[in-house]
Amino acid sequence: MHRSATDPRPRVLHLTQPVEGGVARVVLDLVKAQLTAGLRVTVACPGGELAARARDLGAEVREWYADRSPGAGLPDEVRRLARLLDEVRPELVHAHSAKAGLAGRLAVRGRVPTVFQPHAWSFEAVDGATAALALRWERWGARWAHRVVCVSEAERATGVRAGIRARYTVVPNGIDTAHFTPGPPTPDERSTGAPLVVCVGRLCRQKGQDLLLRAWPEVLRRVPGARLALVGDGPDRDALGRLAPARVEFTGAVADARPWYRAADLVVLPSRWEGMALAPLEAMACGRPVLVTDVDGARESLPPTHAAHCLVPPGRPGALAGAVAGLLLDPELRASLGDRGRRHVQSTHDVRSTAEAVAELYRELLGGRPLVSFERRESIHS
């Protein structure tokens, strides 16, 4: 569908794969804010709940079929995207996460302003030769991004150390502080008086639930009766189920995590890598104490006074167990951490501030030059 030649509003194309989890929530928050601001917004993605919710918000949605990981289908994915770009003719392309960033930059090649937002670097998610190849691409592909948006200063620093020469902008993640608020737990989530630890996230290697399960027997030794709820679903569900010790519940995917946050005595996210995770921000907004691994974005998401109590080294189940048990045994400290965390998120991680920072970046990239449409280039189909 070609845009009207008389409509002066710029069109933004959000390109994303994956279509679930934190990346999808960030995209939807930006889409909502940009539609409210009067931009014309198109979302290209492989369907899923993200596509349905973007349509509900009023965005144009285009199906772009792409696997989550690079593979033999990449050339066809790039060609399909190039045709989509010819039809949509965006003034700016915002590509989210590694796969969309790969295909998007190959299809656009800098012909219109292009924003790439890694949401954690691709080379951190893999090992060996695959990691080397991912890093080589990120170094090469940076030339086709007018701006690389990192969600934390630590994520930017990781890119710089890795030799990715780009124009960086840091825009910390934000959450809807009017939606995530303190409240009483519901009976379904708070079925007993036993201490409850909650971990919200996709069940996958990145989020580190296996490390928490390995730590859990030691937590039970020190805090008998404690319960652990893993909230979410993902590719590691079966493997984690085989690993799970006693007093662990798998809730599956939930439409609204707030009841679980509000029921928790402690929210834990033992990630192996991140850019800046949303779950700890959501939990703090609900007034709950959090414990996170010291990966990119973790320190920046916490109040400065929380580091001594709420950060543990990544990949160390023993340290994780000690920190979880210590916090469960100190209700006064947990209450203080939850109160300070709530005020911190309200002041520094409100989604409205995030949306305005992205809008300012768009204005910078689109200002001072005529707004241009994406022109058809046969070479990108080859």
Side-chain angles (χ1 to χ4, degrees), residues 82-94:
R83 288 192 291 269
L84 186 152
L85 288 161
D86 288 339
E87 296 168 2
V88 174
R89 298 184 179 182
E91 279 80 18
L92 184 144
V93 174
H94 191 153

Side-chain angles (χ1 to χ4, degrees), residues 96 120 131 136 234 313 322 366:
H96 298 268
R136 186 186 308 170
L366 294 172

